[in-house]
Amino acid sequence: MSVYSKYADHILLNLLKQDDQLAYTEIFERYSRILVNHAYKILGNPDEANDVVQEVFLYIWNKRQELTVTGSLSAYLYKAVKNRILNHIAHEKVVSRYADSISNFIENDYVVADSNLREKELEAIIEKEVALLPAKMREVFLLRKVEELSYDEIALQLNITDKTAKQQVYNSLKILREKLKSLMNVFIW
Protein backbone atom coordinates (compact mmCIF):
# COMPACT_ATOMS: atom_id res chain seq x y z
CA MET A 1 0.00 0.00 0.00
CA SER A 2 1.49 3.32 -1.06
CA VAL A 3 1.76 6.40 1.11
CA TYR A 4 -0.34 8.18 -1.53
CA SER A 5 -3.38 6.12 -0.57
CA LYS A 6 -3.41 7.97 2.76
CA TYR A 7 -3.46 11.44 1.14
CA ALA A 8 -6.65 13.45 0.88
CA ASP A 9 -7.89 14.34 -2.60
CA HIS A 10 -6.83 17.99 -2.38
CA ILE A 11 -3.26 16.96 -1.55
CA LEU A 12 -3.21 14.55 -4.49
CA LEU A 13 -4.48 17.34 -6.76
CA ASN A 14 -1.68 19.66 -5.60
CA LEU A 15 0.89 16.93 -6.24
CA LEU A 16 -0.68 16.21 -9.63
CA LYS A 17 -0.24 19.86 -10.62
CA GLN A 18 3.46 19.38 -9.85
CA ASP A 19 3.62 16.51 -12.39
CA ASP A 20 3.58 13.80 -9.73
CA GLN A 21 2.67 10.62 -11.62
CA LEU A 22 2.12 8.64 -8.44
CA ALA A 23 -0.53 11.14 -7.35
CA TYR A 24 -2.22 10.70 -10.73
CA THR A 25 -2.05 6.92 -10.36
CA GLU A 26 -3.61 7.13 -6.90
CA ILE A 27 -6.46 9.31 -8.19
CA PHE A 28 -6.97 6.86 -11.04
CA GLU A 29 -6.93 3.84 -8.72
CA ARG A 30 -9.24 5.56 -6.25
CA TYR A 31 -11.91 6.60 -8.74
CA SER A 32 -11.66 4.75 -12.07
CA ARG A 33 -13.61 1.62 -11.14
CA ILE A 34 -16.53 3.53 -9.61
CA LEU A 35 -16.60 5.93 -12.57
CA VAL A 36 -16.60 3.05 -15.07
CA ASN A 37 -19.52 1.47 -13.20
CA HIS A 38 -21.35 4.80 -13.29
CA ALA A 39 -20.71 5.21 -17.03
CA TYR A 40 -21.72 1.59 -17.68
CA LYS A 41 -25.10 2.13 -15.99
CA ILE A 42 -25.78 4.94 -18.46
CA LEU A 43 -24.18 3.58 -21.63
CA GLY A 44 -24.82 -0.14 -21.14
CA ASN A 45 -21.56 -0.97 -22.92
CA PRO A 46 -18.43 -1.83 -20.88
CA ASP A 47 -15.96 -0.81 -23.62
CA GLU A 48 -17.68 2.55 -24.15
CA ALA A 49 -17.81 3.09 -20.37
CA ASN A 50 -14.07 2.34 -20.11
CA ASP A 51 -13.31 4.61 -23.06
CA VAL A 52 -15.25 7.52 -21.53
CA VAL A 53 -13.41 7.19 -18.21
CA GLN A 54 -10.05 6.84 -20.00
CA GLU A 55 -10.79 10.06 -21.89
CA VAL A 56 -11.55 11.88 -18.63
CA PHE A 57 -8.33 10.70 -17.00
CA LEU A 58 -6.28 11.48 -20.10
CA TYR A 59 -7.76 14.99 -20.09
CA ILE A 60 -6.90 15.39 -16.38
CA TRP A 61 -3.30 14.36 -17.00
CA ASN A 62 -2.92 16.59 -20.06
CA LYS A 63 -4.46 19.60 -18.29
CA ARG A 64 -3.01 18.93 -14.84
CA GLN A 65 -1.26 22.29 -14.50
CA GLU A 66 -4.32 24.39 -15.31
CA LEU A 67 -6.86 22.04 -13.72
CA THR A 68 -9.25 23.90 -11.41
CA VAL A 69 -11.40 21.79 -9.14
CA THR A 70 -13.90 23.69 -7.05
CA GLY A 71 -15.59 21.43 -4.55
CA SER A 72 -14.71 17.78 -4.18
CA LEU A 73 -12.61 15.79 -6.63
CA SER A 74 -15.24 13.06 -6.77
CA ALA A 75 -17.96 15.56 -7.78
CA TYR A 76 -15.63 16.99 -10.44
CA LEU A 77 -14.89 13.52 -11.83
CA TYR A 78 -18.56 12.50 -11.89
CA LYS A 79 -19.46 15.69 -13.73
CA ALA A 80 -16.57 15.21 -16.19
CA VAL A 81 -17.72 11.64 -16.90
CA LYS A 82 -21.33 12.80 -17.29
CA ASN A 83 -20.25 15.47 -19.79
CA ARG A 84 -18.15 12.95 -21.76
CA ILE A 85 -21.12 10.59 -21.85
CA LEU A 86 -23.38 13.36 -23.15
CA ASN A 87 -20.79 14.20 -25.83
CA HIS A 88 -20.51 10.50 -26.68
CA ILE A 89 -24.29 10.14 -26.99
CA ALA A 90 -24.51 13.29 -29.13
CA HIS A 91 -21.74 11.94 -31.37
CA GLU A 92 -23.54 8.59 -31.65
CA LYS A 93 -26.70 10.41 -32.74
CA VAL A 94 -24.77 12.27 -35.45
CA VAL A 95 -23.20 9.01 -36.65
CA SER A 96 -26.61 7.34 -36.61
CA ARG A 97 -28.16 10.18 -38.64
CA TYR A 98 -25.28 9.97 -41.11
CA ALA A 99 -25.72 6.19 -41.41
CA ASP A 100 -29.47 6.67 -41.89
CA SER A 101 -28.85 9.22 -44.61
CA ILE A 102 -26.43 6.87 -46.41
CA SER A 103 -28.90 4.02 -46.03
CA ASN A 104 -31.67 6.21 -47.44
CA PHE A 105 -29.39 7.20 -50.32
CA ILE A 106 -28.70 3.55 -51.15
CA GLU A 107 -32.34 2.46 -50.70
CA ASN A 108 -33.43 5.05 -53.25
CA ASP A 109 -31.35 3.31 -55.93
CA TYR A 110 -28.68 5.96 -56.25
CA VAL A 111 -25.54 4.42 -57.57
CA VAL A 112 -22.19 5.86 -56.68
CA ALA A 113 -20.00 4.70 -59.53
CA ASP A 114 -16.71 5.23 -57.82
CA SER A 115 -17.64 4.07 -54.30
CA ASN A 116 -15.53 0.91 -54.56
CA LEU A 117 -12.57 2.93 -55.74
CA ARG A 118 -13.04 5.43 -52.91
CA GLU A 119 -13.36 2.63 -50.41
CA LYS A 120 -10.11 1.04 -51.61
CA GLU A 121 -8.33 4.40 -51.54
CA LEU A 122 -9.58 5.06 -48.02
CA GLU A 123 -8.50 1.59 -46.86
CA ALA A 124 -5.03 2.21 -48.30
CA ILE A 125 -4.79 5.56 -46.53
CA ILE A 126 -5.92 4.05 -43.23
CA GLU A 127 -3.41 1.20 -43.58
CA LYS A 128 -0.66 3.73 -44.29
CA GLU A 129 -1.59 5.82 -41.23
CA VAL A 130 -1.75 2.72 -39.02
CA ALA A 131 1.71 1.73 -40.30
CA LEU A 132 3.01 5.14 -39.20
CA LEU A 133 1.92 4.60 -35.58
CA PRO A 134 4.70 3.83 -33.08
CA ALA A 135 5.46 0.10 -33.15
CA LYS A 136 4.02 -0.88 -29.74
CA MET A 137 0.95 1.30 -30.21
CA ARG A 138 0.38 -0.19 -33.68
CA GLU A 139 0.74 -3.72 -32.32
CA VAL A 140 -1.83 -3.13 -29.56
CA PHE A 141 -4.17 -1.34 -31.98
CA LEU A 142 -4.07 -4.18 -34.51
CA LEU A 143 -4.63 -6.82 -31.84
CA ARG A 144 -7.69 -4.94 -30.59
CA LYS A 145 -9.23 -3.70 -33.85
CA VAL A 146 -8.17 -6.36 -36.38
CA GLU A 147 -7.68 -9.48 -34.25
CA GLU A 148 -10.56 -8.32 -31.99
CA LEU A 149 -8.79 -9.45 -28.82
CA SER A 150 -10.02 -8.16 -25.46
CA TYR A 151 -7.85 -5.78 -23.46
CA ASP A 152 -7.11 -8.62 -21.02
CA GLU A 153 -6.01 -10.92 -23.87
CA ILE A 154 -3.76 -8.18 -25.29
CA ALA A 155 -2.27 -7.53 -21.86
CA LEU A 156 -1.53 -11.22 -21.40
CA GLN A 157 -0.06 -11.64 -24.90
CA LEU A 158 2.20 -8.56 -24.70
CA ASN A 159 2.98 -8.74 -20.99
CA ILE A 160 1.49 -5.31 -20.27
CA THR A 161 -1.41 -4.18 -18.09
CA ASP A 162 -4.92 -3.99 -19.50
CA LYS A 163 -4.87 -0.27 -18.63
CA THR A 164 -1.79 0.19 -20.80
CA ALA A 165 -3.51 -1.70 -23.63
CA LYS A 166 -6.61 0.52 -23.31
CA GLN A 167 -4.50 3.67 -23.26
CA GLN A 168 -2.52 2.56 -26.34
CA VAL A 169 -5.74 1.90 -28.27
CA TYR A 170 -7.20 5.23 -27.14
CA ASN A 171 -4.03 7.09 -28.16
CA SER A 172 -3.88 5.37 -31.56
CA LEU A 173 -7.54 6.16 -32.28
CA LYS A 174 -6.97 9.78 -31.33
CA ILE A 175 -3.98 10.01 -33.70
CA LEU A 176 -5.85 8.30 -36.53
CA ARG A 177 -8.98 10.45 -36.08
CA GLU A 178 -6.92 13.63 -36.33
CA LYS A 179 -5.06 12.46 -39.43
CA LEU A 180 -8.18 11.17 -41.17
CA LYS A 181 -10.54 14.01 -40.24
CA SER A 182 -9.65 16.22 -43.20
CA LEU A 183 -9.56 13.25 -45.58
CA MET A 184 -13.08 12.19 -44.64
CA ASN A 185 -14.54 15.42 -45.98
CA VAL A 186 -12.98 14.67 -49.36
CA PHE A 187 -14.33 11.10 -49.42
CA ILE A 188 -17.83 12.06 -48.27
CA TRP A 189 -18.23 14.69 -50.97
Side-chain angles (χ1 to χ4, degrees):
M1 185 158 107
S2 123
V3 69
Y4 285 80
S5 65
K6 297 175 184 166
Y7 290 158
D9 288 348
H10 71 279
I11 294 172
L12 291 172
L13 279 171
N14 287 336
L15 292 169
L16 176 66
K17 288 182 180 188
Q18 298 167 21
D19 297 333
D20 190 323
Q21 291 181 347
L22 293 175
Y24 173 79
T25 301
E26 177 59 32
I27 292 169
F28 182 86
E29 293 294 327
R30 195 174 284 183
Y31 289 104
S32 64
R33 187 172 295 133
I34 193 168
L35 291 171
V36 168
N37 288 337
H38 175 66
Y40 176 71
K41 287 177 187 171
I42 297 167
L43 294 169
N45 181 311
D47 286 337
E48 288 178 3
N50 274 311
D51 289 347
V52 163
V53 173
Q54 288 289 328
E55 288 173 17
V56 167
F57 278 100
L58 183 63
Y59 175 84
I60 287 170
W61 178 254
N62 289 336
K63 300 292 185 181
R64 63 191 174 277
Q65 267 107 21
E66 58 264 15
L67 196 63
T68 304
V69 176
T70 55
S72 72
L73 176 60
S74 61
Y76 174 87
L77 290 170
Y78 271 100
K79 187 171 184 171
V81 167
K82 182 186 98 178
N83 289 337
R84 290 283 175 176
I85 289 170
L86 292 175
N87 288 345
H88 176 77
I89 290 170
H91 176 72
E92 290 298 314
K93 286 181 180 176
V94 168
V95 168
S96 177
R97 276 196 305 255
Y98 177 70
D100 288 346
S101 102
I102 288 176
S103 176
N104 188 30
F105 182 78
I106 291 168
E107 285 171 14
N108 289 321
D109 295 329
Y110 292 101
V111 178
V112 181
D114 64 345
S115 67
N116 286 342
L117 178 61
R118 286 182 186 212
E119 186 177 320
K120 285 185 169 95
E121 288 174 353
L122 185 57
E123 283 176 12
I125 291 169
I126 291 171
E127 284 178 19
K128 180 182 147 238
E129 293 301 335
V130 167
L132 293 174
L133 290 172
K136 196 66 162 178
M137 186 183 293
R138 180 177 59 246
E139 183 178 15
V140 172
F141 176 81
L142 291 172
L143 288 172
R144 177 72 178 155
K145 297 299 181 183
V146 176
E147 303 289 326
E148 297 181 355
L149 297 181
S150 71
Y151 291 118
D152 290 333
E153 292 169 325
I154 295 168
L156 191 61
Q157 185 170 331
L158 299 180
N159 198 25
I160 59 176
T161 67
D162 65 329
K163 289 177 186 155
T164 300
K166 289 175 190 173
Q167 193 64 51
Q168 289 287 0
V169 170
Y170 173 81
N171 291 344
S172 60
L173 286 172
K174 186 175 180 184
I175 290 168
L176 292 172
R177 275 189 201 109
E178 286 301 312
K179 289 187 176 186
L180 297 174
K181 196 181 288 182
S182 61
L183 292 171
M184 289 308 292
N185 291 332
V186 171
F187 278 94
I188 292 170
W189 302 112

PDB file of all heavy atoms in Angstrom, residues 98 115-129 179-188:
ATOM      1  N   TYR A  98     -26.097  10.100 -39.901  1.00  0.00           N
ATOM      2  CA  TYR A  98     -25.280   9.974 -41.108  1.00  0.00           C
ATOM      3  C   TYR A  98     -25.504   8.601 -41.739  1.00  0.00           C
ATOM      4  O   TYR A  98     -25.701   8.480 -42.948  1.00  0.00           O
ATOM      5  CB  TYR A  98     -23.806  10.192 -40.765  1.00  0.00           C
ATOM      6  CG  TYR A  98     -22.880  10.014 -41.936  1.00  0.00           C
ATOM      7  CD1 TYR A  98     -22.869  10.930 -42.980  1.00  0.00           C
ATOM      8  CD2 TYR A  98     -22.034   8.921 -42.014  1.00  0.00           C
ATOM      9  CE1 TYR A  98     -22.035  10.765 -44.070  1.00  0.00           C
ATOM     10  CE2 TYR A  98     -21.189   8.745 -43.097  1.00  0.00           C
ATOM     11  CZ  TYR A  98     -21.198   9.669 -44.114  1.00  0.00           C
ATOM     12  OH  TYR A  98     -20.365   9.495 -45.184  1.00  0.00           O
ATOM     13  N   SER A 115     -17.694   4.360 -55.730  1.00  0.00           N
ATOM     14  CA  SER A 115     -17.644   4.066 -54.299  1.00  0.00           C
ATOM     15  C   SER A 115     -16.631   2.975 -53.968  1.00  0.00           C
ATOM     16  O   SER A 115     -15.933   3.066 -52.963  1.00  0.00           O
ATOM     17  CB  SER A 115     -19.029   3.700 -53.757  1.00  0.00           C
ATOM     18  OG  SER A 115     -19.461   2.476 -54.297  1.00  0.00           O
ATOM     19  N   ASN A 116     -16.522   1.957 -54.818  1.00  0.00           N
ATOM     20  CA  ASN A 116     -15.533   0.911 -54.560  1.00  0.00           C
ATOM     21  C   ASN A 116     -14.110   1.466 -54.640  1.00  0.00           C
ATOM     22  O   ASN A 116     -13.255   1.114 -53.833  1.00  0.00           O
ATOM     23  CB  ASN A 116     -15.681  -0.242 -55.556  1.00  0.00           C
ATOM     24  CG  ASN A 116     -16.890  -1.094 -55.262  1.00  0.00           C
ATOM     25  OD1 ASN A 116     -17.431  -1.043 -54.164  1.00  0.00           O
ATOM     26  ND2 ASN A 116     -17.319  -1.870 -56.239  1.00  0.00           N
ATOM     27  N   LEU A 117     -13.884   2.315 -55.598  1.00  0.00           N
ATOM     28  CA  LEU A 117     -12.572   2.932 -55.736  1.00  0.00           C
ATOM     29  C   LEU A 117     -12.265   3.789 -54.511  1.00  0.00           C
ATOM     30  O   LEU A 117     -11.169   3.703 -53.947  1.00  0.00           O
ATOM     31  CB  LEU A 117     -12.517   3.790 -57.011  1.00  0.00           C
ATOM     32  CG  LEU A 117     -11.217   4.545 -57.259  1.00  0.00           C
ATOM     33  CD1 LEU A 117     -10.045   3.564 -57.395  1.00  0.00           C
ATOM     34  CD2 LEU A 117     -11.336   5.400 -58.506  1.00  0.00           C
ATOM     35  N   ARG A 118     -13.242   4.592 -54.087  1.00  0.00           N
ATOM     36  CA  ARG A 118     -13.041   5.434 -52.906  1.00  0.00           C
ATOM     37  C   ARG A 118     -12.789   4.585 -51.670  1.00  0.00           C
ATOM     38  O   ARG A 118     -11.933   4.919 -50.850  1.00  0.00           O
ATOM     39  CB  ARG A 118     -14.262   6.326 -52.672  1.00  0.00           C
ATOM     40  CG  ARG A 118     -14.379   7.456 -53.644  1.00  0.00           C
ATOM     41  CD  ARG A 118     -15.564   8.314 -53.312  1.00  0.00           C
ATOM     42  NE  ARG A 118     -15.774   9.327 -54.310  1.00  0.00           N
ATOM     43  CZ  ARG A 118     -16.272  10.519 -54.052  1.00  0.00           C
ATOM     44  NH1 ARG A 118     -16.608  10.835 -52.850  1.00  0.00           N
ATOM     45  NH2 ARG A 118     -16.431  11.385 -55.020  1.00  0.00           N
ATOM     46  N   GLU A 119     -13.529   3.506 -51.560  1.00  0.00           N
ATOM     47  CA  GLU A 119     -13.357   2.629 -50.405  1.00  0.00           C
ATOM     48  C   GLU A 119     -11.941   2.045 -50.380  1.00  0.00           C
ATOM     49  O   GLU A 119     -11.292   2.021 -49.338  1.00  0.00           O
ATOM     50  CB  GLU A 119     -14.400   1.511 -50.465  1.00  0.00           C
ATOM     51  CG  GLU A 119     -14.418   0.628 -49.245  1.00  0.00           C
ATOM     52  CD  GLU A 119     -15.512  -0.419 -49.316  1.00  0.00           C
ATOM     53  OE1 GLU A 119     -16.629  -0.099 -49.783  1.00  0.00           O
ATOM     54  OE2 GLU A 119     -15.234  -1.557 -48.901  1.00  0.00           O
ATOM     55  N   LYS A 120     -11.464   1.597 -51.533  1.00  0.00           N
ATOM     56  CA  LYS A 120     -10.110   1.038 -51.609  1.00  0.00           C
ATOM     57  C   LYS A 120      -9.051   2.107 -51.296  1.00  0.00           C
ATOM     58  O   LYS A 120      -8.063   1.838 -50.612  1.00  0.00           O
ATOM     59  CB  LYS A 120      -9.869   0.421 -52.983  1.00  0.00           C
ATOM     60  CG  LYS A 120     -10.570  -0.900 -53.162  1.00  0.00           C
ATOM     61  CD  LYS A 120     -10.220  -1.542 -54.493  1.00  0.00           C
ATOM     62  CE  LYS A 120     -10.692  -2.947 -54.553  1.00  0.00           C
ATOM     63  NZ  LYS A 120     -11.861  -3.341 -55.094  1.00  0.00           N
ATOM     64  N   GLU A 121      -9.264   3.308 -51.819  1.00  0.00           N
ATOM     65  CA  GLU A 121      -8.332   4.401 -51.538  1.00  0.00           C
ATOM     66  C   GLU A 121      -8.314   4.714 -50.043  1.00  0.00           C
ATOM     67  O   GLU A 121      -7.249   4.909 -49.449  1.00  0.00           O
ATOM     68  CB  GLU A 121      -8.714   5.653 -52.330  1.00  0.00           C
ATOM     69  CG  GLU A 121      -8.434   5.556 -53.816  1.00  0.00           C
ATOM     70  CD  GLU A 121      -8.961   6.768 -54.597  1.00  0.00           C
ATOM     71  OE1 GLU A 121      -9.653   7.621 -54.010  1.00  0.00           O
ATOM     72  OE2 GLU A 121      -8.664   6.854 -55.794  1.00  0.00           O
ATOM     73  N   LEU A 122      -9.493   4.767 -49.455  1.00  0.00           N
ATOM     74  CA  LEU A 122      -9.583   5.060 -48.023  1.00  0.00           C
ATOM     75  C   LEU A 122      -8.927   3.955 -47.201  1.00  0.00           C
ATOM     76  O   LEU A 122      -8.181   4.242 -46.251  1.00  0.00           O
ATOM     77  CB  LEU A 122     -11.049   5.233 -47.617  1.00  0.00           C
ATOM     78  CG  LEU A 122     -11.300   5.660 -46.172  1.00  0.00           C
ATOM     79  CD1 LEU A 122     -10.574   6.967 -45.862  1.00  0.00           C
ATOM     80  CD2 LEU A 122     -12.787   5.811 -45.919  1.00  0.00           C
ATOM     81  N   GLU A 123      -9.144   2.700 -47.565  1.00  0.00           N
ATOM     82  CA  GLU A 123      -8.504   1.588 -46.861  1.00  0.00           C
ATOM     83  C   GLU A 123      -6.978   1.708 -46.947  1.00  0.00           C
ATOM     84  O   GLU A 123      -6.277   1.473 -45.961  1.00  0.00           O
ATOM     85  CB  GLU A 123      -8.950   0.250 -47.459  1.00  0.00           C
ATOM     86  CG  GLU A 123     -10.331  -0.182 -47.047  1.00  0.00           C
ATOM     87  CD  GLU A 123     -10.780  -1.462 -47.743  1.00  0.00           C
ATOM     88  OE1 GLU A 123      -9.946  -2.145 -48.384  1.00  0.00           O
ATOM     89  OE2 GLU A 123     -11.977  -1.772 -47.639  1.00  0.00           O
ATOM     90  N   ALA A 124      -6.477   2.072 -48.121  1.00  0.00           N
ATOM     91  CA  ALA A 124      -5.025   2.206 -48.302  1.00  0.00           C
ATOM     92  C   ALA A 124      -4.480   3.333 -47.430  1.00  0.00           C
ATOM     93  O   ALA A 124      -3.418   3.196 -46.813  1.00  0.00           O
ATOM     94  CB  ALA A 124      -4.696   2.468 -49.772  1.00  0.00           C
ATOM     95  N   ILE A 125      -5.226   4.438 -47.359  1.00  0.00           N
ATOM     96  CA  ILE A 125      -4.790   5.565 -46.526  1.00  0.00           C
ATOM     97  C   ILE A 125      -4.792   5.165 -45.060  1.00  0.00           C
ATOM     98  O   ILE A 125      -3.841   5.461 -44.316  1.00  0.00           O
ATOM     99  CB  ILE A 125      -5.697   6.801 -46.776  1.00  0.00           C
ATOM    100  CG1 ILE A 125      -5.439   7.350 -48.188  1.00  0.00           C
ATOM    101  CG2 ILE A 125      -5.459   7.877 -45.730  1.00  0.00           C
ATOM    102  CD1 ILE A 125      -6.453   8.384 -48.648  1.00  0.00           C
ATOM    103  N   ILE A 126      -5.839   4.476 -44.622  1.00  0.00           N
ATOM    104  CA  ILE A 126      -5.918   4.046 -43.226  1.00  0.00           C
ATOM    105  C   ILE A 126      -4.779   3.083 -42.903  1.00  0.00           C
ATOM    106  O   ILE A 126      -4.110   3.227 -41.872  1.00  0.00           O
ATOM    107  CB  ILE A 126      -7.294   3.415 -42.922  1.00  0.00           C
ATOM    108  CG1 ILE A 126      -8.380   4.500 -42.967  1.00  0.00           C
ATOM    109  CG2 ILE A 126      -7.288   2.711 -41.570  1.00  0.00           C
ATOM    110  CD1 ILE A 126      -9.797   3.974 -42.906  1.00  0.00           C
ATOM    111  N   GLU A 127      -4.512   2.132 -43.790  1.00  0.00           N
ATOM    112  CA  GLU A 127      -3.406   1.195 -43.575  1.00  0.00           C
ATOM    113  C   GLU A 127      -2.076   1.936 -43.469  1.00  0.00           C
ATOM    114  O   GLU A 127      -1.238   1.609 -42.635  1.00  0.00           O
ATOM    115  CB  GLU A 127      -3.348   0.171 -44.707  1.00  0.00           C
ATOM    116  CG  GLU A 127      -4.413  -0.891 -44.621  1.00  0.00           C
ATOM    117  CD  GLU A 127      -4.365  -1.871 -45.791  1.00  0.00           C
ATOM    118  OE1 GLU A 127      -3.322  -1.973 -46.475  1.00  0.00           O
ATOM    119  OE2 GLU A 127      -5.400  -2.530 -46.011  1.00  0.00           O
ATOM    120  N   LYS A 128      -1.894   2.941 -44.324  1.00  0.00           N
ATOM    121  CA  LYS A 128      -0.660   3.735 -44.293  1.00  0.00           C
ATOM    122  C   LYS A 128      -0.529   4.465 -42.960  1.00  0.00           C
ATOM    123  O   LYS A 128       0.542   4.470 -42.347  1.00  0.00           O
ATOM    124  CB  LYS A 128      -0.663   4.727 -45.452  1.00  0.00           C
ATOM    125  CG  LYS A 128       0.569   5.601 -45.501  1.00  0.00           C
ATOM    126  CD  LYS A 128       0.495   6.607 -46.653  1.00  0.00           C
ATOM    127  CE  LYS A 128       1.185   7.860 -46.258  1.00  0.00           C
ATOM    128  NZ  LYS A 128       0.427   9.052 -46.277  1.00  0.00           N
ATOM    129  N   GLU A 129      -1.626   5.075 -42.498  1.00  0.00           N
ATOM    130  CA  GLU A 129      -1.595   5.820 -41.233  1.00  0.00           C
ATOM    131  C   GLU A 129      -1.371   4.877 -40.050  1.00  0.00           C
ATOM    132  O   GLU A 129      -0.652   5.222 -39.119  1.00  0.00           O
ATOM    133  CB  GLU A 129      -2.881   6.637 -41.041  1.00  0.00           C
ATOM    134  CG  GLU A 129      -3.046   7.776 -42.023  1.00  0.00           C
ATOM    135  CD  GLU A 129      -1.918   8.805 -41.995  1.00  0.00           C
ATOM    136  OE1 GLU A 129      -1.232   8.954 -40.953  1.00  0.00           O
ATOM    137  OE2 GLU A 129      -1.691   9.465 -43.024  1.00  0.00           O
ATOM    138  N   LYS A 179      -5.650  12.543 -38.096  1.00  0.00           N
ATOM    139  CA  LYS A 179      -5.059  12.461 -39.431  1.00  0.00           C
ATOM    140  C   LYS A 179      -6.108  12.238 -40.512  1.00  0.00           C
ATOM    141  O   LYS A 179      -5.955  12.689 -41.633  1.00  0.00           O
ATOM    142  CB  LYS A 179      -4.014  11.346 -39.474  1.00  0.00           C
ATOM    143  CG  LYS A 179      -2.763  11.700 -38.687  1.00  0.00           C
ATOM    144  CD  LYS A 179      -1.692  10.673 -38.881  1.00  0.00           C
ATOM    145  CE  LYS A 179      -0.436  11.108 -38.152  1.00  0.00           C
ATOM    146  NZ  LYS A 179       0.673  10.217 -38.411  1.00  0.00           N
ATOM    147  N   LEU A 180      -7.180  11.519 -40.162  1.00  0.00           N
ATOM    148  CA  LEU A 180      -8.176  11.168 -41.168  1.00  0.00           C
ATOM    149  C   LEU A 180      -9.322  12.170 -41.251  1.00  0.00           C
ATOM    150  O   LEU A 180     -10.099  12.127 -42.205  1.00  0.00           O
ATOM    151  CB  LEU A 180      -8.733   9.773 -40.888  1.00  0.00           C
ATOM    152  CG  LEU A 180      -7.698   8.650 -40.968  1.00  0.00           C
ATOM    153  CD1 LEU A 180      -8.319   7.330 -40.538  1.00  0.00           C
ATOM    154  CD2 LEU A 180      -7.120   8.529 -42.363  1.00  0.00           C
ATOM    155  N   LYS A 181      -9.420  13.069 -40.284  1.00  0.00           N
ATOM    156  CA  LYS A 181     -10.543  14.006 -40.240  1.00  0.00           C
ATOM    157  C   LYS A 181     -10.674  14.809 -41.533  1.00  0.00           C
ATOM    158  O   LYS A 181     -11.740  14.883 -42.128  1.00  0.00           O
ATOM    159  CB  LYS A 181     -10.370  14.960 -39.054  1.00  0.00           C
ATOM    160  CG  LYS A 181     -11.623  15.711 -38.686  1.00  0.00           C
ATOM    161  CD  LYS A 181     -11.380  16.654 -37.516  1.00  0.00           C
ATOM    162  CE  LYS A 181     -11.216  15.862 -36.249  1.00  0.00           C
ATOM    163  NZ  LYS A 181     -11.021  16.682 -35.069  1.00  0.00           N
ATOM    164  N   SER A 182      -9.589  15.399 -41.985  1.00  0.00           N
ATOM    165  CA  SER A 182      -9.655  16.216 -43.202  1.00  0.00           C
ATOM    166  C   SER A 182      -9.896  15.355 -44.446  1.00  0.00           C
ATOM    167  O   SER A 182     -10.569  15.779 -45.376  1.00  0.00           O
ATOM    168  CB  SER A 182      -8.380  17.037 -43.364  1.00  0.00           C
ATOM    169  OG  SER A 182      -7.274  16.176 -43.478  1.00  0.00           O
ATOM    170  N   LEU A 183      -9.361  14.134 -44.428  1.00  0.00           N
ATOM    171  CA  LEU A 183      -9.560  13.249 -45.579  1.00  0.00           C
ATOM    172  C   LEU A 183     -11.010  12.808 -45.711  1.00  0.00           C
ATOM    173  O   LEU A 183     -11.506  12.616 -46.817  1.00  0.00           O
ATOM    174  CB  LEU A 183      -8.676  12.024 -45.449  1.00  0.00           C
ATOM    175  CG  LEU A 183      -7.193  12.276 -45.582  1.00  0.00           C
ATOM    176  CD1 LEU A 183      -6.411  11.032 -45.211  1.00  0.00           C
ATOM    177  CD2 LEU A 183      -6.857  12.696 -47.001  1.00  0.00           C
ATOM    178  N   MET A 184     -11.700  12.658 -44.592  1.00  0.00           N
ATOM    179  CA  MET A 184     -13.083  12.187 -44.636  1.00  0.00           C
ATOM    180  C   MET A 184     -13.976  13.154 -45.388  1.00  0.00           C
ATOM    181  O   MET A 184     -14.873  12.733 -46.114  1.00  0.00           O
ATOM    182  CB  MET A 184     -13.631  11.966 -43.220  1.00  0.00           C
ATOM    183  CG  MET A 184     -13.026  10.757 -42.517  1.00  0.00           C
ATOM    184  SD  MET A 184     -13.130   9.243 -43.498  1.00  0.00           S
ATOM    185  CE  MET A 184     -14.886   8.963 -43.486  1.00  0.00           C
ATOM    186  N   ASN A 185     -13.726  14.429 -45.250  1.00  0.00           N
ATOM    187  CA  ASN A 185     -14.536  15.417 -45.978  1.00  0.00           C
ATOM    188  C   ASN A 185     -14.400  15.227 -47.489  1.00  0.00           C
ATOM    189  O   ASN A 185     -15.353  15.353 -48.225  1.00  0.00           O
ATOM    190  CB  ASN A 185     -14.131  16.847 -45.592  1.00  0.00           C
ATOM    191  CG  ASN A 185     -14.515  17.152 -44.162  1.00  0.00           C
ATOM    192  OD1 ASN A 185     -15.472  16.597 -43.629  1.00  0.00           O
ATOM    193  ND2 ASN A 185     -13.757  18.039 -43.531  1.00  0.00           N
ATOM    194  N   VAL A 186     -13.210  14.891 -47.922  1.00  0.00           N
ATOM    195  CA  VAL A 186     -12.981  14.672 -49.356  1.00  0.00           C
ATOM    196  C   VAL A 186     -13.744  13.433 -49.821  1.00  0.00           C
ATOM    197  O   VAL A 186     -14.381  13.444 -50.861  1.00  0.00           O
ATOM    198  CB  VAL A 186     -11.454  14.498 -49.632  1.00  0.00           C
ATOM    199  CG1 VAL A 186     -11.208  14.066 -51.056  1.00  0.00           C
ATOM    200  CG2 VAL A 186     -10.721  15.784 -49.313  1.00  0.00           C
ATOM    201  N   PHE A 187     -13.682  12.355 -49.017  1.00  0.00           N
ATOM    202  CA  PHE A 187     -14.329  11.104 -49.422  1.00  0.00           C
ATOM    203  C   PHE A 187     -15.844  11.183 -49.334  1.00  0.00           C
ATOM    204  O   PHE A 187     -16.538  10.541 -50.094  1.00  0.00           O
ATOM    205  CB  PHE A 187     -13.825   9.938 -48.577  1.00  0.00           C
ATOM    206  CG  PHE A 187     -12.512   9.410 -49.100  1.00  0.00           C
ATOM    207  CD1 PHE A 187     -11.311   9.870 -48.587  1.00  0.00           C
ATOM    208  CD2 PHE A 187     -12.488   8.483 -50.111  1.00  0.00           C
ATOM    209  CE1 PHE A 187     -10.110   9.404 -49.070  1.00  0.00           C
ATOM    210  CE2 PHE A 187     -11.288   8.007 -50.614  1.00  0.00           C
ATOM    211  CZ  PHE A 187     -10.093   8.468 -50.095  1.00  0.00           C
ATOM    212  N   ILE A 188     -16.375  11.948 -48.400  1.00  0.00           N
ATOM    213  CA  ILE A 188     -17.831  12.062 -48.274  1.00  0.00           C
ATOM    214  C   ILE A 188     -18.397  12.822 -49.445  1.00  0.00           C
ATOM    215  O   ILE A 188     -19.436  12.477 -49.973  1.00  0.00           O
ATOM    216  CB  ILE A 188     -18.204  12.723 -46.928  1.00  0.00           C
ATOM    217  CG1 ILE A 188     -17.848  11.770 -45.794  1.00  0.00           C
ATOM    218  CG2 ILE A 188     -19.676  13.076 -46.895  1.00  0.00           C
ATOM    219  CD1 ILE A 188     -17.928  12.382 -44.424  1.00  0.00           C
TER     220      ILE A 188
END
